Amino acid sequence: MKYQTQKIALAYFSVALALFLIQILGGVLAGVIYVLPNFLSEVLPFNIVRMLHTNSLVVWLLLGFFGAAYFLIPEESEQEIYSTKLAYLQLIILVVGTLGVVLTYVFNLFEGNWLLGKEGREFLEQPKWVKMGIVVAALIFLFNVTMTVLKGRKTAISTILLVGLWALALLFLFAFYNPSNLALDKQYWWYVIHLWVEGVWELIMASILAYLMLKLTGVDREVVEKWLYVIVATALFSGILGTGHHYYWIGTPGYWQWIGSIFSTLEIVPFFAMMSFAFVMVWKGHRDHPNKAALLWSLGCATLAFFGAGVWGFLHTLHGVNYYSHGTQITAAHGHLAFYGAYVCLNLAIFSYAMPILRNRDPYNQVLNMASFWLMSGGMVFMTFTLTFAGTIQTHMQRVIGDYYMDVQDQIAVFYWMRLGSGVVVFLGLLLFLYAIFVPRKEVISTDATVAAE
Ligand code: HEM
Ligand code: HEM
Ligand SMILES: [Fe+2]
């Protein structure tokens, strides 16, 4: 570790991983409820479990991004982080907010209260006070990292990361606007949900991937930067108007069907570019970096993001297709692989790279880490297939033939059992990852012991 303040990342990554564990437990529980509908129905109903699953996902991904910024910005700007105290204060605010959400939902507190009560918009369910806390934490973060970057060396990687993080925070402000008109509500809801994952998060993804490629493959910075500009330009060009693929059936004007179809199809381009980028860098690179696990997660990220977001996104993005598939298991299949490939793998890549450095433990459990990649990714890919099969049958029976929703659900139950099975595999993969990251390798302990004995 070159800079002392990079250590801040350790706290962020650890809390992120704890929430990841909760997210996956929530997913498995939701998967159980799908096949055994009365399971825990009085204590922890499905809607609460689902909210915990999706919100803990978003929170831990954000914590991972913040941690990644604290880790890579000192190196990029050749400068210690402006204030360590502010960084920890930011983390405390986010943890308190998260606990607030969990307690409010699990114990059903403050019903109907404007400030403290629940808000029922998917992904934006946090009570208002938590949303405000998130904004305060984001401001602290932006101040802290911007001051650091301004004082030091400015690189394309840190600039694009900063632009992405600023835009992420600004777009979140739309979460406060919740008009009673349902069409307007949805229109602004997508400003956060879509413009995050298919806009500014892509900038964050591209810059973190670029940093990893720079470190792991040893290619020249100029080459990495050229790719970065192309990826960012195509991501914003396609992603902003691509929002139109959510405006087909919510009461917005008909021209959105064309704008949405055309521009969201172009969204495949940045994901394809990111995949090509990663492989070309490895092919051209001359460095044989010892951290093979971080490289595996990076390549896995770029590849699975291309399939989950690009291919599975395109599958249902043309309005003629979406007319039938909207809101079916096809959507869930895509949502899982896209989030997993693009943002889960990205975080696990930077954790795999940074954790051994942060914990001063090199070499570490590489092989177990790589095994966890295959278990988790295999599980998620299998889950995507089962949900795609389920969704195809569902779309046909429900939207083409016109069968009743619950009758169709009974017919596709076998896929939900398979989804549960793959979810358990993902859970095991995660346990293995945690073991590989946190538990010291046996040989290392024994050498230390002999050294101590001598
Ligand atoms: C890192 C891995 C995972 C990610 C990124 C993830 C992401 C998501 C997302 C984004 C949603 C909302 C989907 C939508 O509205 O279209 C969701 C819902 C759900 N997830 Fe996951 N999830 C993961 C792992 C799991 C696991 C392991 C299971 C276990 C079976 C699971 C089961 C579910 C269930 C049952 C739902 C609710 C679906 C519904 O309402 O119909 N997820 N997940
Ligand atoms: C990493 C990037 C992406 C992530 C994390 C992501 C995630 C998601 C999630 C979670 C949903 C469900 C939202 C909901 O209704 O609750 C969704 C919907 C959708 N996504 Fe993506 N997505 C990504 C990229 C893309 C791309 C590139 C395309 C097009 C090529 C696409 C096309 C769609 C479409 C058409 C829907 C609406 C499905 C429906 O009508 O039910 N997505 N996405
Ligand atoms: Fe979208």
Side-chain angles (χ1 to χ4, degrees):
M1 204 168 54
K2 276 205 202 108
Y3 297 89
Q4 281 314 308
T5 45
Q6 287 181 289
K7 198 95 196 173
I8 299 167
L10 182 61
Y12 275 81
F13 292 165
S14 306
V15 179
L17 281 169
L19 280 173
F20 184 21
L21 189 64
I22 293 175
Q23 185 228 325
I24 295 303
L25 284 173
V28 171
L29 189 54
V32 172
I33 298 174
Y34 242 90
V35 289
L36 304 170
N38 289 329
F39 189 68
L40 292 185
S41 62
E42 302 284 326
V43 197
L44 211 54
F46 178 79
N47 61 325
I48 309 287
V49 176
R50 189 188 196 283
M51 185 287 298
L52 292 175
H53 177 57
T54 51
N55 279 258
S56 51
L57 166 71
V58 175
V59 175
W60 88 256
L61 294 178
L62 290 175
L63 287 174
F65 293 158
F66 294 143
Y70 285 126
F71 182 80
L72 68 83
I73 280 183
E75 272 184 32
E76 284 294 300
S77 48
E78 296 174 339
Q79 198 63 234
E80 293 287 357
I81 291 290
Y82 180 76
S83 160
T84 318
K85 279 209 188 79
L86 281 180
Y88 287 118
L89 176 66
Q90 180 207 346
L91 181 60
I92 291 169
I93 295 176
L94 289 171
V95 170
V96 170
T98 306
L99 289 177
V101 175
V102 174
L103 293 178
T104 309
Y105 273 81
V106 173
F107 297 104
N108 199 11
L109 309 173
F110 313 117
E111 191 81 48
N113 186 303
W114 173 83
L115 185 65
L116 306 174
K118 296 179 277 194
E119 299 221 311
R121 294 206 288 173
E122 192 194 357
F123 289 109
L124 302 181
E125 289 101 338
Q126 320 80 18
K128 280 238 170 38
W129 72 270
V130 178
K131 288 196 175 74
M132 292 169 185
I134 293 173
V135 172
V136 173
L139 288 175
I140 294 176
F141 170 77
L142 291 170
F143 172 75
N144 209 358
V145 289
T146 309
M147 290 303 281
T148 313
V149 171
L150 286 181
K151 268 177 34 190
R153 178 176 70 144
K154 289 159 198 71
T155 66
I157 292 180
S158 61
T159 311
I160 290 171
L161 182 62
L162 261 194
V163 171
L165 289 163
W166 268 96
L168 179 156
L170 291 177
L171 285 169
F172 183 71
L173 295 178
F174 285 103
F176 288 93
Y177 184 51
N178 187 0
S180 55
N181 177 317
L182 203 58
L184 277 180
D185 160 6
K186 276 290 168 194
Q187 188 180 333
Y188 286 102
W189 182 79
W190 287 111
Y191 274 30
V192 187
I193 306 306
H194 169 99
L195 288 179
W196 265 17
V197 297
E198 290 160 70
V200 298
W201 285 29
E202 281 182 62
L203 308 198
I204 298 170
M205 176 180 171
S207 54
I208 295 179
L209 263 186
Y211 171 81
L212 284 167
M213 286 300 137
L214 201 63
K215 297 284 164 181
L216 294 172
T217 70
V219 288
D220 293 340
R221 191 177 276 277
E222 295 79 63
V223 182
V224 171
E225 287 181 349
K226 275 187 199 128
W227 278 92
L228 209 46
Y229 292 128
V230 173
I231 293 167
V232 169
T234 51
L236 294 178
F237 177 76
S238 61
I240 295 175
L241 284 172
T243 320
H245 64 188
H246 303 295
Y247 291 174
Y248 298 157
W249 331 113
I250 63 168
T252 37
Y255 50 76
W256 281 111
Q257 302 199 345
W258 288 103
I259 298 178
S261 293
I262 293 167
F263 282 89
S264 68
T265 299
L266 292 173
E267 284 183 40
I268 304 171
V269 176
F271 285 103
F272 185 73
M274 273 191 266
M275 184 173 65
S276 317
F277 164 63
F279 281 93
V280 171
M281 292 306 101
V282 173
W283 172 52
K284 281 195 172 169
H286 43 75
R287 186 178 293 166
D288 192 20
H289 198 281
N291 197 333
K292 296 280 180 280
L295 190 61
L296 180 62
W297 280 106
S298 308
L299 292 175
C301 163
T303 309
L304 291 175
F306 170 68
F307 280 97
V311 179
W312 255 257
F314 178 68
L315 191 68
H316 59 159
T317 208
L318 297 176
H319 66 263
V321 177
N322 194 265
Y323 179 73
Y324 293 99
S325 68
H326 181 58
T328 61
Q329 295 299 328
I330 302 267
T331 308
H334 155 70
H336 275 91
L337 197 62
F339 256 115
Y340 176 77
Y343 303 119
V344 171
C345 289
L346 178 72
N347 267 300
L348 299 185
I350 187 84
F351 295 179
S352 296
Y353 175 75
M355 278 306 225
I357 301 173
L358 288 168
R359 311 194 76 216
N360 213 355
R361 189 186 287 159
D362 222 5
Y364 71 124
N365 291 317
Q366 286 246 30
V367 177
L368 289 185
N369 186 332
M370 290 198 262
S372 84
F373 168 84
W374 291 109
L375 266 184
M376 252 192 266
S377 305
M380 291 310 291
V381 167
F382 191 84
M383 185 186 297
T384 306
F385 286 138
T386 60
L387 292 177
T388 307
F389 282 122
T392 310
I393 296 175
Q394 182 192 9
T395 302
H396 187 76
M397 291 184 73
Q398 199 182 311
R399 300 280 164 76
V400 180
I401 297 179
D403 286 343
Y404 288 113
Y405 178 83
M406 284 315 289
D407 291 344
V408 176
Q409 292 300 312
D410 287 340
Q411 295 294 317
I412 55 183
V414 62
F415 296 110
Y416 295 140
W417 280 104
M418 291 201 273
R419 185 252 304 267
L420 179 57
S422 53
V424 171
V425 174
V426 175
F427 176 65
L428 294 177
L430 170 57
L431 292 185
L432 197 57
F433 184 85
L434 294 176
Y435 181 88
I437 290 287
F438 286 109
V439 180
R441 201 163 71 165
K442 290 268 162 29
E443 296 94 286
V444 178
I445 298 176
S446 54
T447 18
D448 283 356
T450 28
V451 172
E454 274 163 6

